[in-house]
Amino acid sequence: MKFSPKSILILLFFILISCSDKKTIEAGYQIVPLPQEISQNGNGNFILDKQTVIVYDENNDTLRQTASFLSEYIKQNTGIHIRITDQPKEKNIILLNTQYTHHNPEAYNLIIDQDKILISGASLPAVFYGIPP
């Protein structure tokens, strides 16, 4: 059986692709409710690791509970245990707060850059709604 050069090149291409260890995952925005706006600003990717901490507003028991929930959720899905704290930190953090100003009390703003993930809600429940599924 003879193969044409074009067939051999196509076969080699698929073999090379299937051997690659690198996998690309595209974000699916199939969440409810659908975000009002999604934009990319090119400020890098956040890398979740063992040094990442979840920071919540001091003396806010509800945000502490939300931070605990998020920590457990991350552990179940990645195996990485993320500490929670009410002590401010600048980098490698997931920051939860209620400083988002919006007329809808369930509105939240989710910002991700290379140093932090900021989940800011217009209310305490809105911060919880901002946790990505």
Side-chain angles (χ1 to χ4, degrees):
M1 176 177 232
K2 288 187 176 183
F3 293 101
S4 71
K6 185 177 180 180
S7 299
I8 292 173
L9 286 175
I10 292 172
L11 180 61
L12 285 174
F13 174 76
F14 283 113
I15 289 172
L16 288 173
I17 288 175
S18 67
C19 292
S20 173
D21 287 342
K22 197 174 197 180
K23 293 184 180 180
T24 302
I25 300 172
E26 290 188 23
Y29 302 112
Q30 300 175 8
I31 56 175
V32 175
L34 187 63
Q36 185 176 353
E37 179 183 341
I38 299 173
S39 62
Q40 291 183 316
N41 59 14
N43 287 342
N45 299 318
F46 182 80
I47 310 281
L48 184 73
D49 60 31
K50 293 178 183 176
Q51 283 71 45
T52 303
V53 294
I54 300 171
V55 180
Y56 60 93
D57 287 341
E58 187 176 17
N59 299 322
N60 190 318
D61 196 47
T62 303
L63 280 181
R64 183 188 55 74
Q65 291 172 354
T66 302
S68 293
F69 167 80
L70 178 56
S71 176
E72 186 61 32
Y73 181 80
I74 290 170
K75 185 177 180 183
Q76 288 177 355
N77 287 281
T78 67
I80 300 172
H81 174 73
I82 304 295
R83 288 184 315 106
I84 65 169
T85 182
D86 61 0
Q87 300 303 306
K89 190 177 171 193
E90 293 295 318
K91 294 186 176 188
N92 200 11
I93 64 170
I94 301 171
L95 178 61
L96 308 178
N97 68 41
T98 55
Q99 298 175 5
Y100 185 54
T101 305
H102 198 276
H103 68 276
N104 181 349
E106 294 183 349
Y108 62 87
N109 192 20
L110 174 64
I111 298 173
I112 303 170
D113 65 29
Q114 62 194 20
D115 295 326
K116 68 183 168 303
I117 296 175
L118 169 62
I119 304 172
S120 185
S123 65
L124 291 169
V127 175
F128 181 81
Y129 301 150
I131 296 174

